[in-house]
Amino acid sequence: MKKTIAAAALLLCIQPIFAQRPPSISSPEVNTDNSVTFRYYSRTAQKVTLRGEFLSGPVALNKDTSGIWSVTIPQVKPDIYPYSFMVDSVEMADPNNTNIFANERFKRSIVDIPGDQPMLHALQNVPHGKISYRLYTSKTLGTTRQALVYTPPGYNPQSATKYPVLYLVHGGSDTEETWTKVGRANLIADNLIAQGKAKPMIIVMPYGNVRPKPMPDFTKDVVNDLLPFIESNYNVLPGSTNRAIAGFSVGGGQTLNIGLTNTDKFAYVFSYAPYTATEEFQRNFSNWSPDAAKLNQQLKLFTISVGTEDFLYNSVKENIAMFEKKNIKLKTHIVPGGHTWMNCRLFLGNSLQEAFK
Amino acid sequence: MKKTIAAAALLLCIQPIFAQRPPSISSPEVNTDNSVTFRYYSRTAQKVTLRGEFLSGPVALNKDTSGIWSVTIPQVKPDIYPYSFMVDSVEMADPNNTNIFANERFKRSIVDIPGDQPMLHALQNVPHGKISYRLYTSKTLGTTRQALVYTPPGYNPQSATKYPVLYLVHGGSDTEETWTKVGRANLIADNLIAQGKAKPMIIVMPYGNVRPKPMPDFTKDVVNDLLPFIESNYNVLPGSTNRAIAGFSVGGGQTLNIGLTNTDKFAYVFSYAPYTATEEFQRNFSNWSPDAAKLNQQLKLFTISVGTEDFLYNSVKENIAMFEKKNIKLKTHIVPGGHTWMNCRLFLGNSLQEAFK
């Protein structure tokens, strides 16, 4: 009790130029019936609303006499969802939630509703792989870049055991951390490997945003800089049949660009809700006349996944029709839902079970 | 150009429930004369102010006719600083800055003013170590916890080369990522190792916040769970003379608690601006009658560092006097500045050069 007061006093007096600390409130609070209570403190705000991917539209919070705004959303389907508060005119992450959506543009928080049965992305009592933050030199971009590398449980760089590699690209304004922090790629892999449903593999998560340079340079960065860095620093199985590439949204478009123009390097191409209204995609595929027989032989598996409520659904259907018209073999995963990371986790779970088989 | 418009269109239409995207503006912009321009977009805000650890007080931003608020701060001393915006009554991180201060309570951004000469924390063209995110089982706390582990350049788990280990604890509401994301501990180590000024070492960054359980459990977690996990998973040199512990603020207090009650395990104790108004510190040190001769023999180096403008300065001076009165040998680093991560980086740089010598 004394400690709590002392800690509160510390928070009040630390760095006094950042004054006006709100009281310590709990938000979000996930209740046992899968309802979730969201809270926000402000004595001066006129209106506070909640926006979340578990809602069909904004919901108002109500203020009590102490300045704490709150709302309880009943029966939320267990999953991990992004949400934000709109405080008067300002959209913001929940200041009382440490779990932040890793993104360069959106400022959102994440709420994890675990449910009764452990979900595929849940931390379970299984052997855990390791995520490493690696710096590599990109000659293409003339800079040092960061990539995250998941190595599976038991990975030992000096043993004779070698692994296939999945390159996994985030969405348009996401970062190299979004696939682990929001997508839980490491835990999904841990769980599927423990269940014997996925082959132990290395997962490489690059930073896909290339600014101010145009996107095509990312293809070169992956193929000419990142791939050699991985191959010379990790125990990897050689050859295209041991390499997969996957990505979401803008990263799903990058996946098509990188994968289908480098089928000698990637035998597995998994594109999730691809955004393809880019110059690079136009250049690569508008007048494309592939040797379909050769491509189909090189590609062990090519999938496109999308939700039927995704705002890109029609565009993705056109992509699928285009590839089919060129006689490219592909498998589709059409599921309910929108352009969301809830679907990303689902798509990744599928790909991990389909790759390298 | 087309691509930029397409990307902007994408951002506008992605996940339409998160509407009202602001225009893409650049903030912060670090200019060549070390001035920094901060920008914020709002057509409706009444007042926007900047708070930053390079300022002595809040500074107002001015709005132009397009709704972009801005201010340019001249001649900021090169370093990495936290800052935030106060938009009407709401303190928030800069929505256009991807560089977020890793903290569970404060929502701040970070601005990096590199200066002409590369600073100790700058990304330089030297061999880079690796940061790994590791999950370990804490029997003490009955849960799985995450710790970050820095391994130095050339670290090879199967070679005969073994390394000393520094345990490095964050401040009160920070996270296990704060020492790398704000403190740049990995780059400081890379640079000092490359210069031959620090011994290659492993740096373990635990999550120091133990809630709802009281702090003393963190001591047990470090000594009984984390330390054995590290020793069985990494190439570590054995014995107390190859182990150091350091920490800042609440973590500086934890460092004193953990280190000085376990001098058989840690021969180096580095405490930065320790916060010691805790029950645990009272219990350990209020009626402390140590065998000073034995302790001084076990401790290869015990340092306390603090800035003269730190709000804990007087408290830390009392700590120092208390230890000196008990005849405990200690070295102090008293420097200008406050309770800041600018000083944390400085203190860590000192410790890395002092440890394991």
Side-chain angles (χ1 to χ4, degrees):
Chain A
M1 202 59 190
K2 235 194 254 166
K3 197 196 65 60
T4 312
I5 294 165
L10 174 69
L11 286 162
L12 285 170
C13 55
I14 267 186
Q15 293 157 314
I17 61 161
F18 295 99
Q20 286 191 254
R21 295 268 158 268
S24 193
I25 58 178
S26 170
S27 180
E29 193 171 326
V30 178
N31 308 304
T32 49
D33 62 353
N34 293 334
S35 67
V36 186
T37 303
F38 297 87
R39 295 185 180 89
Y40 180 80
Y41 173 78
S42 173
R43 292 195 167 275
T44 53
Q46 295 299 306
K47 190 180 175 192
V48 180
T49 53
L50 168 72
R51 291 148 178 254
E53 294 194 0
F54 45 86
L55 297 170
S56 54
V59 171
L61 280 75
N62 298 307
K63 186 164 90 164
D64 71 12
T65 51
S66 66
I68 294 174
W69 300 70
S70 68
V71 68
T72 296
I73 308 296
Q75 291 289 349
V76 183
K77 184 183 165 200
D79 209 327
I80 303 172
Y81 300 93
Y83 72 95
S84 63
F85 292 138
M86 181 71 87
V87 179
D88 297 333
S89 67
V90 180
E91 186 179 1
M92 60 189 298
D94 182 345
N96 289 290
N97 184 351
T98 67
N99 204 345
I100 290 176
F101 192 107
N103 188 282
E104 301 194 335
R105 195 168 170 93
F106 313 135
K107 300 292 167 189
R108 293 185 200 152
S109 300
I110 283 176
V111 57
D112 183 353
I113 298 139
D116 297 331
Q117 297 301 317
M119 296 190 71
L120 188 56
H121 57 247
L123 177 67
Q124 297 184 36
N125 188 18
V126 298
H128 297 297
K130 191 167 81 172
I131 306 160
S132 296
Y133 283 53
R134 300 301 306 258
L135 296 168
Y136 68 97
T137 303
S138 172
K139 286 184 190 163
T140 302
L141 302 167
T143 185
T144 299
R145 308 195 93 212
Q146 182 165 271
L148 272 58
V149 181
Y150 167 85
T151 48
Y155 175 82
N156 174 345
Q158 298 306 304
S159 87
T161 312
K162 295 184 184 303
Y163 298 86
V165 183
L166 165 65
Y167 291 80
L168 183 59
V169 189
H170 57 75
S173 57
D174 299 324
T175 76
E176 69 273 33
E177 292 185 299
T178 310
W179 266 113
T180 55
K181 298 212 164 180
V182 183
R184 302 267 184 101
N186 53 318
L187 298 182
I188 293 174
D190 285 349
N191 292 333
L192 287 172
I193 291 168
Q195 294 166 21
K197 292 180 180 167
K199 275 206 173 178
M201 67 181 83
I202 293 168
I203 304 176
V204 179
M205 291 156 276
Y207 177 63
N209 300 325
V210 174
R211 280 188 296 258
K213 299 199 176 208
M215 276 190 212
D217 287 335
F218 181 61
T219 298
K220 291 181 205 151
D221 175 60
V222 169
V223 173
N224 300 334
D225 298 301
L226 181 57
L227 197 145
F229 172 80
I230 296 298
E231 307 247 325
S232 63
N233 281 282
Y234 289 88
N235 268 3
V236 302
L237 286 165
S240 68
T241 56
N242 292 303
R243 288 191 210 105
I245 186 160
F248 168 56
S249 192
V250 169
Q254 289 170 324
T255 293
L256 297 173
N257 287 315
I258 298 170
L260 298 181
T261 64
N262 292 282
T263 44
D264 60 321
K265 296 191 178 64
F266 299 96
Y268 295 87
V269 176
F270 305 120
S271 180
Y272 312 149
Y275 175 75
T276 55
T278 62
E279 280 183 5
E280 186 176 17
F281 191 84
Q282 285 300 310
R283 193 167 49 246
N284 283 332
F285 299 108
S286 61
N287 296 306
W288 195 40
S289 47
D291 179 342
K294 185 182 167 196
L295 223 70
N296 289 334
Q297 200 202 355
Q298 287 179 316
L299 285 171
K300 294 292 163 198
L301 186 61
F302 169 29
T303 72
I304 294 185
S305 307
V306 69
T308 52
E309 295 139 73
D310 194 311
F311 77 99
L312 291 174
Y313 181 56
N314 286 330
S315 161
V316 173
K317 279 202 301 188
E318 284 167 23
N319 298 147
I320 292 169
M322 181 274 283
F323 288 120
E324 285 178 340
K325 199 174 159 200
K326 311 266 185 191
N327 297 311
I328 306 300
K329 266 200 301 196
L330 78 96
K331 179 176 167 185
T332 60
H333 291 286
I334 314 289
V335 301
H339 199 76
T340 70
W341 277 87
M342 291 81 83
N343 268 351
C344 277
R345 285 184 290 269
L346 179 70
F347 298 149
L348 177 65
N350 292 337
S351 299
L352 293 182
Q353 297 177 71
E354 292 168 337
F356 314 123
K357 295 283 171 82
Chain B
M1 203 60 189
K2 236 195 251 164
K3 198 195 64 60
T4 312
I5 294 164
L10 174 70
L11 286 164
L12 284 170
C13 55
I14 267 186
Q15 293 159 313
I17 61 160
F18 293 98
Q20 287 189 256
R21 294 268 159 268
S24 193
I25 58 177
S26 171
S27 180
E29 195 172 325
V30 179
N31 308 304
T32 49
D33 62 353
N34 294 334
S35 68
V36 185
T37 303
F38 297 87
R39 295 186 180 88
Y40 180 81
Y41 173 78
S42 173
R43 290 195 168 276
T44 54
Q46 296 298 305
K47 190 180 174 192
V48 180
T49 53
L50 169 72
R51 291 149 180 255
E53 294 194 0
F54 45 87
L55 297 170
S56 54
V59 171
L61 281 73
N62 298 308
K63 185 164 91 164
D64 71 13
T65 51
S66 66
I68 294 174
W69 300 70
S70 68
V71 68
T72 296
I73 308 296
Q75 291 289 350
V76 183
K77 185 184 164 199
D79 209 327
I80 302 172
Y81 300 93
Y83 72 96
S84 64
F85 291 139
M86 182 70 87
V87 179
D88 297 334
S89 67
V90 180
E91 186 179 1
M92 60 189 299
D94 182 345
N96 290 290
N97 184 352
T98 66
N99 204 346
I100 290 174
F101 191 108
N103 188 282
E104 302 194 334
R105 195 168 171 93
F106 313 134
K107 300 292 167 189
R108 294 186 199 151
S109 300
I110 284 176
V111 57
D112 182 353
I113 299 138
D116 297 331
Q117 297 301 317
M119 295 189 72
L120 188 56
H121 57 248
L123 177 67
Q124 298 185 35
N125 187 20
V126 299
H128 297 298
K130 191 165 82 172
I131 305 160
S132 296
Y133 283 53
R134 300 302 305 260
L135 296 168
Y136 68 97
T137 303
S138 172
K139 285 183 190 162
T140 302
L141 301 168
T143 186
T144 300
R145 309 195 93 212
Q146 182 166 271
L148 272 59
V149 181
Y150 167 86
T151 48
Y155 175 82
N156 174 344
Q158 297 306 304
S159 87
T161 311
K162 296 186 184 301
Y163 297 86
V165 183
L166 166 65
Y167 292 79
L168 184 59
V169 188
H170 57 75
S173 56
D174 299 323
T175 77
E176 69 274 32
E177 292 185 298
T178 310
W179 266 113
T180 56
K181 298 214 165 181
V182 183
R184 303 268 183 99
N186 54 318
L187 299 182
I188 293 173
D190 286 350
N191 292 334
L192 287 173
I193 291 168
Q195 294 166 23
K197 291 180 180 167
K199 276 208 173 176
M201 68 181 82
I202 293 168
I203 304 176
V204 179
M205 291 157 276
Y207 177 61
N209 299 325
V210 174
R211 281 189 296 257
K213 299 202 177 205
M215 276 188 212
D217 287 335
F218 181 62
T219 298
K220 292 182 204 151
D221 175 60
V222 168
V223 173
N224 299 334
D225 298 300
L226 181 58
L227 197 145
F229 172 81
I230 296 298
E231 306 247 325
S232 64
N233 281 281
Y234 288 88
N235 268 1
V236 302
L237 286 165
S240 68
T241 56
N242 291 303
R243 288 191 211 106
I245 186 160
F248 168 57
S249 190
V250 169
Q254 289 170 325
T255 293
L256 297 173
N257 287 315
I258 298 170
L260 298 181
T261 64
N262 292 280
T263 44
D264 59 322
K265 296 190 179 64
F266 300 96
Y268 295 88
V269 176
F270 305 118
S271 180
Y272 312 149
Y275 175 74
T276 54
T278 64
E279 280 183 7
E280 187 177 17
F281 191 84
Q282 285 300 309
R283 194 167 48 246
N284 283 331
F285 299 108
S286 61
N287 296 305
W288 196 40
S289 47
D291 179 342
K294 186 181 167 196
L295 224 70
N296 289 333
Q297 200 203 353
Q298 288 179 314
L299 285 170
K300 294 291 165 200
L301 186 62
F302 169 30
T303 72
I304 294 185
S305 307
V306 69
T308 51
E309 294 138 74
D310 194 310
F311 78 98
L312 291 175
Y313 181 56
N314 286 329
S315 161
V316 173
K317 279 202 301 186
E318 284 168 24
N319 298 147
I320 292 168
M322 182 271 284
F323 288 120
E324 286 178 341
K325 199 175 160 198
K326 310 266 185 192
N327 296 311
I328 306 300
K329 265 199 304 193
L330 77 96
K331 179 176 167 185
T332 60
H333 291 287
I334 314 289
V335 301
H339 199 76
T340 70
W341 278 86
M342 291 81 85
N343 268 352
C344 277
R345 285 183 290 269
L346 179 71
F347 298 149
L348 177 65
N350 292 337
S351 299
L352 293 182
Q353 297 176 70
E354 291 167 338
F356 314 124
K357 294 285 171 78

